[in-house]
Amino acid sequence: MSLLPGKHIDRLSAGVHGGFDYTEFERLGIDPENIIDFSVSTNPLGIPPGIIEPITDIEASRYPDSRSLSLIREIARTIGVSEQTILAGAGSTELIRLAVTAYCTPADRAVVLGPTYGEYRTACLIANVEVTDITAPESSSFMPDIDIILKLILQLGPKIIFICNPNNPTGVYLGYDEIKAVVSAAPDSLIVLDEAYAAFADNRWDPVDLLKTGNLLILRSMTKDYAIAGLRLGYAIAHTDIISILHKVAPPWNVNVAAQKVGLALIRQKDFLEQSRKAVHEGKEYLTDELTKLGFRCLPSSVNFFLIETDNASELRTRLLRKSILVRDCTSFGLPRHIRIAVQTPEANRAMITALKDMQHDR
């Protein structure tokens, strides 16, 4: 075929994520309705009651508000910032790509703190930007060495730096002083601080006061907070100059009518996330206790998911899937001996432990 893509596109591979793969289920003869999903780290309580019903009353024949103004104003009021510092997006992943599109050229370099979410690298490769991974070792339970990171940032001079905090898939949560040190050390870099899982973090802290540095872009995921993965909704917070630039590259009508309406209702749910944190704490404690009894090593985590060690992550995932339990094989993160497990409902958590006990008994 004579029609070929840009050479840099050859460096891309298909993204691997949690969630249902219906082609795989069909091949294995598995009914998706019977699957208990531990592979996606959304809120285990699901969508708050009474939220979905209002979307039946939407004006689907009209284009959505391109600026999502009603939603943005409510977010701004809730977190105490100006509405000019917020941009809504179709999930955090869209906002990641907008940041690279707006700020990077093929001559630029990106730094990614890993092991972490693969879409940072993908966004950079699409833009033909070179990526340097600074990967925390397993020997430190994947806790990054900030001194090493600061030295490498000074050496490399990246245009953009990606920090997932709390980190996916390790659950490591860096503190205020550590993030401030990175932001301060790289005044000419855009620091993308992805807080997709921060709503579930132990001892959560708020980085909003660091926005005054003018080089910080905070990403938050309502998809994860409120279990609305099918609607795709997130938002960015940054200095007004950064938000204005991102608006230039954002697609028109990027947040659909249903997502805007549901998002507005969710932001007004004052107590739901606190209830969710309590459920996550209890569920994680149960799972890690039971998994430890079964001989698994559970790595420390500050959020609603954690890693366990196994001899072969792909094999364990397949065996669990045949028992209708779906977990996240972390091979795509460069961790072929680790499985990521997201906390689910108490009933689902018990089903996971029962399945593992049955597998050990069957040996």
Side-chain angles (χ1 to χ4, degrees):
M1 183 176 177
S2 59
L3 181 62
L4 299 174
K7 290 182 178 180
H8 63 287
I9 299 301
D10 289 336
R11 296 188 294 168
L12 293 170
S13 55
V16 178
H17 299 287
F20 283 16
D21 180 341
Y22 292 94
T23 302
E24 179 185 34
F25 295 165
E26 186 175 283
R27 176 172 53 82
L28 296 175
I30 294 172
D31 184 353
E33 293 299 317
N34 295 329
I35 294 291
I36 303 176
D37 189 3
F38 291 84
S39 73
V40 174
S41 304
T42 55
N43 194 317
L45 297 187
I47 303 171
I51 294 295
I52 292 299
E53 288 78 358
I55 69 171
T56 59
D57 181 29
I58 59 173
E59 187 53 77
S61 63
R62 296 179 183 173
Y63 284 107
D65 175 6
S66 264
R67 294 292 180 113
S68 305
L69 280 177
S70 294
L71 174 61
I72 282 174
R73 284 171 176 163
E74 189 65 18
I75 293 171
R77 190 189 65 80
T78 300
I79 65 178
V81 299
S82 163
E83 66 186 68
Q84 282 75 37
T85 64
I86 298 176
L87 172 70
S92 298
T93 300
E94 180 189 45
L95 298 167
I96 291 164
R97 295 197 180 188
L98 294 182
V100 176
T101 300
Y103 281 92
C104 296
T105 68
D108 291 325
R109 180 178 297 278
V111 161
V112 176
L113 303 195
T116 195
Y117 185 46
E119 289 299 321
Y120 309 133
R121 168 176 283 274
T122 297
C124 293
L125 294 181
I126 290 171
N128 202 12
V129 173
E130 288 299 320
V131 181
T132 297
D133 296 294
I134 303 178
T135 303
E138 184 179 350
S139 59
S140 68
S141 296
F142 302 108
M143 178 62 71
D145 186 320
I146 294 299
D147 290 335
I148 290 175
I149 290 167
L150 296 179
K151 288 178 183 177
L152 288 172
I153 287 172
L154 290 174
Q155 291 172 16
L156 297 168
K159 187 62 176 290
I160 193 166
I161 300 169
F162 288 98
I163 306 173
C164 187
N165 197 50
N167 186 46
N168 170 25
T170 64
V172 169
Y173 189 35
L174 299 176
Y176 176 90
D177 290 342
E178 293 158 312
I179 297 300
K180 183 180 179 181
V182 176
V183 173
S184 300
D188 297 323
S189 304
L190 180 66
I191 314 298
V192 181
L193 184 65
D194 186 351
E195 290 200 311
Y197 302 98
F200 308 108
D202 300 330
N203 302 313
R204 184 182 183 182
W205 60 273
D206 190 347
V208 165
D209 77 302
L210 293 174
L211 293 176
K212 60 182 179 287
T213 61
N215 65 329
L216 178 64
L217 176 67
I218 302 168
L219 306 183
R220 290 180 178 168
S221 172
M222 296 182 72
T223 293
K224 305 294 190 304
D225 294 355
Y226 300 101
I228 54 167
L231 288 178
R232 312 302 305 134
L233 185 60
Y235 60 93
I237 319 168
H239 189 279
T240 54
D241 290 348
I242 294 175
I243 296 299
S244 295
I245 290 167
L246 294 180
H247 271 301
K248 293 180 179 181
V249 297
W253 319 298
N254 61 327
V255 180
N256 67 70
V257 175
Q260 288 188 38
K261 190 162 188 175
V262 169
L264 188 59
L266 289 171
I267 283 292
R268 293 168 176 163
Q269 296 282 315
K270 305 300 182 186
D271 300 324
F272 182 71
L273 290 180
E274 186 55 43
Q275 296 169 10
S276 303
R277 278 188 286 270
K278 184 174 183 294
V280 164
H281 177 79
E282 292 174 353
K284 186 165 64 173
E285 188 174 69
Y286 167 78
L287 283 171
T288 54
D289 284 350
E290 293 298 317
L291 287 164
T292 300
K293 291 175 186 175
L294 291 173
F296 290 99
R297 178 179 174 240
C298 303
L299 276 68
S301 166
S302 295
V303 281
N304 58 321
F305 56 83
F306 57 93
L307 294 177
I308 65 169
E309 287 185 2
T310 182
D311 292 334
N312 186 314
S314 178
E315 179 184 312
L316 179 57
R317 177 188 177 276
T318 300
R319 293 178 65 200
L320 280 168
L321 186 55
R322 294 188 183 279
K323 292 183 175 291
S324 297
I325 301 291
L326 179 61
V327 296
R328 179 68 159 91
D329 168 11
C330 289
T331 299
S332 66
F333 292 100
L335 304 174
R337 296 178 54 252
H338 291 82
I339 289 285
R340 189 189 70 196
I341 296 174
V343 175
Q344 280 294 339
T345 63
E347 181 181 11
N349 294 338
R350 288 192 292 271
M352 153 82 78
I353 297 304
T354 297
L356 287 166
K357 287 179 177 178
D358 289 345
M359 285 165 50
Q360 288 191 349
H361 184 265
D362 292 342
R363 284 182 177 177

